[in-house]
Amino acid sequence: MEKKQRVSLWYFILAFWALIILQEVYVASQHMDEVPYSQFKGWVQDGKVAEVSITETMIYGKLKEEKEKSLGFQAVRVDDPDLVRLLEEQHVEFAGVVISTLWKDVASWVVPILVFAGIWFWLLRKLGQGAGGGFMRIGKSKAKVYMEKDIPTRMKDVAGVDEATEELLEVVEFLRSPEKYTRIGGKIPKGVLLVGPPGTGKTLLARAIAGEAEVPFFSISGSEFVEMFVGVGAARVRDLFEQAQAKAPCIIFIDELDAIGKARGSGPMAHEEREQTLNQLLVEMDGFDPRVGVILLAATNRPETLDQALLRAGRFDRQILVDRPDRKGRAAILAIHAKAIKLAPGVELESIAAMTPGMVGADLANVVNEAALLAIRRGRETVQQEDFQEAVERVIAGLERKNRVLSHDERRRVAHHEVGHALIALSLPGSDPIHKISIIPRGVAALGYTLQLPEEDRYLYTRTELQNRIAVLLGGRAAEELVFGEASTGAADDLQKATSIAKRMVKDYGMSELLGTVALDQSAKPAFLPTADTYSAGTYSEQTAQEIDSEVRRLIDEQGQRVRTLLAALHPVLLSGAKKLLTAEVMTGEELKALLPPKEEESVLQ
Ligand code: ADP
Ligand code: MG
Ligand code: ZN
């Protein structure tokens, strides 16, 4: 109803403007010669004028000789008391006209009012929308709760997260035949929390469950709860549950739960609104009875920040880990997405899966898409293995930027830097194999890159392996120093990564003798993200902080020393490798290995 009203108002305003514009056009089309008042008066005195009409401001008239053909003339009216007498004397037909001024008078006050009213309505609607639905309906969540029926997603569209799938199928089973569960008296979990790194398919899984169970799916994203008006988020939560219970059996899905579920009173942004929303969510969760067939699903990639109250029994009491897929899982995910594209015979998705440890479903979907785009660019009918390989590199290292022109000196430096990395990796047993060395700039910052791809998924790293990683990272800079006598800015990123690994060795893994086997960083960290490059400030004394810094420095210096010794022994190979790379731009690890003198390779491997 409200909508209808608004539309008719707009029509009214539009019609008004159209009228005014039409009038202007009409007047413009009625073009007349404008003459000075004195000339007009002269014509009257000479008896040339046939007829005139007089408005408050203008005089319009026609001459006797051209009465038929022309539109006549106009003159600006002057306050002239003689005019009427003169017209009568000359027997000119005359009349006063007021109609046009009336129009203008009306328009001059109606139009501004309408314009203001329009702006006012528009603003109110804007505000109203921000707060949830039409204005006057603040707190109703109609506009933001997406209720979907007949979701096409199925469990077969999700792969590589088998454990999560299994657990969730139970939920589907419950939604299909709740009696089976309620008869025995078993309690179905109220809330199921999907936890895992970004892009692993949490949102996809939630949709797949709704699709399988063939029930309505209410979804809302946590970030949408964060509103400017206090109380709106809470009202919306209430409304969400109200709507859902009316439609049971159904699924409520809150994506990115951490946006509202952050621990109360934590962080600099701990504000009233979020706490109210969270409290309301807790109240609703306690209040609803899962036996009516409403299942609450939520997803987050930061479970460690959630308020403990949310995780208590009777709330999100079941947590399901949606982890990064393993090699088999990645192959399955690739196969799902590859269904949409034309594969050349002989494409081995298995080997692509082997090349992509650590990638999540979203990355793999991206790889498939990039491969298809590359195949199109190369004018192929089908996507080949080669396209996939290039696509993996693109996703890992960014786009090639062939038209970034480096000077000759810079290219030489980059070549030695990259060969430095690669030689260290080849020399240290247990390093990930070198897939490719390149001096074609890629991505935002990389001028060259050495792509190491692990042979298998890794869940643990030993101390030696971490030390070796630091060594490989330092190899680039050491090679520059060895060949050119000084370092360049090109090693900044390497140093950052090396430092971060060293820091975690000291603070998190207890791998420093000096500080002992103590976890110095007690801040909450996601358990499923064992990346070496996240660290945060911990809580320890000033003195410990100093010790950490010196230990980190020692670890890095130690490796730096080792790398310099290794490279000095391989100096000739460094030079010949870089020379080859300069002409070829790209080389494989095998090609570099071939340059190593056999006996030297032996001795290095000791
Ligand atoms: P999340 O919610 O965990 O961040 P999404 O569910 O939004 O991740 O995943 C983004 C996209 O990545 C999906 O739409 C899908 O195309 C792809 N994807 C992610 N995980 C998987 C998976 N396990 N199987 C198939 N496709 C996946
Ligand atoms: Mg998501
Ligand atoms: Zn480097």
Side-chain angles (χ1 to χ4, degrees):
M1 201 192 108
E2 181 195 326
K3 185 165 181 185
K4 217 166 135 194
Q5 234 174 37
R6 185 172 60 101
V7 167
S8 60
L9 183 77
W10 279 115
Y11 275 130
F12 190 56
I13 293 172
L14 215 76
F16 211 90
W17 276 111
L19 249 167
I20 287 171
I21 289 168
L22 270 178
Q23 204 200 6
E24 290 297 319
V25 169
Y26 176 74
V27 168
S29 73
Q30 302 279 307
H31 180 75
M32 303 171 180
D33 292 328
E34 183 147 0
V35 297
Y37 185 77
S38 54
Q39 188 174 354
F40 159 67
K41 201 165 175 185
W43 282 342
V44 176
Q45 278 160 354
D46 296 348
K48 285 183 179 168
V49 179
E51 56 179 47
V52 296
S53 36
I54 302 169
T55 74
E56 272 180 12
T57 52
M58 298 296 291
I59 296 169
Y60 304 98
K62 281 187 178 176
L63 295 177
K64 279 180 184 157
E65 59 219 51
E66 51 184 32
K67 196 177 171 183
E68 304 304 305
K69 37 191 193 340
S70 105
L71 286 166
F73 62 86
Q74 61 181 19
V76 175
R77 185 174 158 187
V78 171
D79 205 4
D80 182 353
D82 292 340
L83 182 62
V84 172
R85 191 182 44 80
L86 191 64
L87 289 171
E88 276 172 345
E89 265 172 29
Q90 297 293 334
H91 306 290
V92 178
E93 281 177 40
F94 71 93
V97 182
V98 285
I99 208 149
S100 66
T101 57
L102 176 73
W103 254 114
K104 275 183 186 153
D105 277 357
V106 171
S108 69
W109 61 265
V110 168
V111 170
I113 287 178
L114 286 178
V115 168
F116 277 116
I119 291 174
W120 184 65
F121 262 87
W122 179 76
L123 274 178
L124 272 183
R125 276 206 68 81
K126 269 271 161 203
L127 280 177
Q129 266 164 8
F135 99 101
M136 310 296 281
R137 268 199 318 200
I138 290 176
K140 278 274 177 186
S141 61
K142 293 236 164 54
K144 290 281 171 92
V145 177
Y146 305 103
M147 209 274 279
E148 289 176 83
K149 275 185 169 163
D150 308 324
I151 291 187
T153 316
R154 290 290 180 274
M155 282 298 185
K156 67 170 170 38
D157 299 321
V158 191
V161 283
D162 299 336
E163 292 131 52
T165 314
E166 222 165 86
E167 295 248 4
L168 287 171
L169 280 174
E170 196 185 293
V171 174
V172 173
E173 196 50 43
F174 167 73
L175 286 169
R176 279 205 183 131
S177 43
E179 343 59 74
K180 201 161 95 189
Y181 288 80
T182 47
R183 206 171 40 215
I184 304 178
K187 264 213 187 113
I188 267 295
K190 270 187 186 176
V192 177
L193 183 60
L194 302 174
V195 170
T200 42
K202 298 180 293 297
T203 309
L204 189 70
L205 261 172
R207 298 183 60 83
I209 298 161
E212 287 286 343
E214 296 175 338
V215 295
F217 183 68
F218 290 87
S219 69
I220 189 159
S221 174
S223 52
E224 286 167 13
F225 277 116
V226 184
E227 291 288 347
M228 51 180 170
F229 299 128
V230 173
V232 172
R236 197 171 285 174
V237 170
R238 209 176 306 128
D239 193 51
L240 173 66
F241 278 80
E242 226 169 72
Q243 283 190 48
Q245 260 154 327
K247 285 267 176 4
C250 68
I251 289 178
I252 301 177
F253 178 52
I254 303 179
D255 210 351
E256 284 149 63
L257 180 68
D258 43 292
I260 35 168
K262 234 174 270 169
R264 280 165 292 186
S266 76
M269 292 280 288
H271 67 93
E272 189 90 345
E273 164 62 2
R274 210 189 55 219
E275 293 195 0
Q276 278 196 16
T277 310
L278 175 56
N279 285 338
Q280 188 63 40
L281 180 63
L282 296 174
V283 168
E284 293 292 343
M285 285 194 76
D286 288 343
F288 91 91
D289 184 350
R291 277 175 301 182
V292 301
V294 179
I295 292 276
L296 184 59
L297 279 182
T300 180
N301 45 36
R302 311 191 55 204
E304 73 284 355
T305 64
L306 291 181
D307 198 289
Q308 282 307 310
L310 269 175
L311 307 176
R312 213 196 58 193
R315 291 174 182 155
F316 285 107
D317 41 12
R318 186 168 297 192
Q319 292 191 31
I320 298 181
L321 178 62
V322 186
D323 213 346
R324 294 174 195 278
D326 58 10
R327 181 172 170 162
K328 248 178 64 197
R330 289 193 301 273
I333 294 173
L334 283 170
I336 287 176
H337 291 281
K339 266 188 223 148
I341 63 172
K342 272 193 202 154
L343 287 188
V347 169
E348 280 177 27
L349 293 178
E350 286 287 333
S351 78
I352 305 300
M355 279 176 73
T356 49
M359 280 200 187
V360 294
D363 298 329
L364 295 167
N366 194 9
V367 164
V368 172
N369 188 48
E370 284 286 343
L373 292 180
L374 278 169
I376 293 167
R377 189 175 306 169
R378 290 166 175 168
R380 290 185 182 142
E381 292 293 311
T382 53
V383 185
Q384 299 188 351
Q385 190 80 9
E386 214 188 308
D387 302 321
F388 274 105
Q389 273 162 1
E390 169 71 18
V392 170
E393 273 177 53
R394 273 188 174 212
V395 172
I396 293 177
L399 291 186
E400 270 188 7
R401 301 191 17 190
K402 285 202 163 139
N403 44 11
R404 164 177 276 182
V405 184
L406 297 185
S407 73
H408 178 69
D409 284 348
E410 280 172 339
R411 286 191 66 206
R412 280 193 59 216
R413 205 174 250 282
V414 173
H416 286 90
H417 177 110
E418 298 306 334
V419 173
H421 282 307
L423 279 179
I424 300 296
L426 286 179
S427 318
L428 299 175
S431 295
D432 295 335
I434 304 279
H435 178 73
K436 195 172 185 180
I437 312 159
S438 158
I439 52 166
I440 300 170
R442 258 187 196 274
V444 189
L447 299 179
Y449 62 97
T450 304
L451 191 59
Q452 278 179 283
L453 292 173
E455 281 176 313
E456 56 201 352
D457 297 344
R458 297 299 302 269
Y459 301 99
L460 289 175
Y461 291 96
T462 64
R463 177 182 166 148
T464 312
E465 280 165 338
L466 289 178
Q467 283 171 334
N468 287 355
R469 282 187 148 209
I470 296 178
V472 172
L473 284 165
L474 296 177
R477 182 189 163 104
E480 285 184 55
E481 279 172 346
L482 185 65
V483 177
F484 301 97
E486 61 179 352
S488 73
T489 56
D493 188 48
D494 297 336
L495 289 185
Q496 201 135 64
K497 283 186 187 145
T499 312
S500 143
I501 295 176
K503 264 198 181 150
R504 292 208 72 174
M505 286 174 73
V506 176
K507 281 166 71 173
D508 297 339
Y509 308 140
M511 289 179 179
S512 138
E513 284 88 9
L514 182 66
L515 285 149
T517 42
V518 178
L520 290 161
D521 200 345
Q522 298 284 2
S523 62
K525 277 201 199 81
F528 49 78
L529 286 172
T531 45
D533 45 38
T534 44
Y535 59 85
S536 56
T539 43
Y540 32 72
S541 71
E542 193 66 22
Q543 193 198 341
T544 311
Q546 277 177 14
E547 282 171 1
I548 291 174
D549 285 343
S550 68
E551 269 301 272
V552 167
R553 191 163 308 134
R554 191 185 59 79
L555 275 175
I556 290 184
D557 285 348
E558 211 174 76
Q559 294 310 314
Q561 198 51 50
R562 184 172 169 218
V563 166
R564 276 190 289 278
T565 320
L566 278 172
L567 279 183
L570 291 168
H571 201 159
V573 189
L574 176 60
L575 295 182
S576 59
K579 198 170 160 206
K580 199 167 170 200
L581 184 57
L582 270 170
T583 43
E585 289 199 322
V586 176
M587 68 198 281
T588 63
E590 291 302 314
E591 285 170 326
L592 185 64
K593 217 177 197 168
L595 297 175
L596 287 171
K599 67 174 189 315
E600 220 156 345
E601 191 182 9
E602 290 284 299
S603 72
V604 160
L605 283 177
Q606 304 278 301

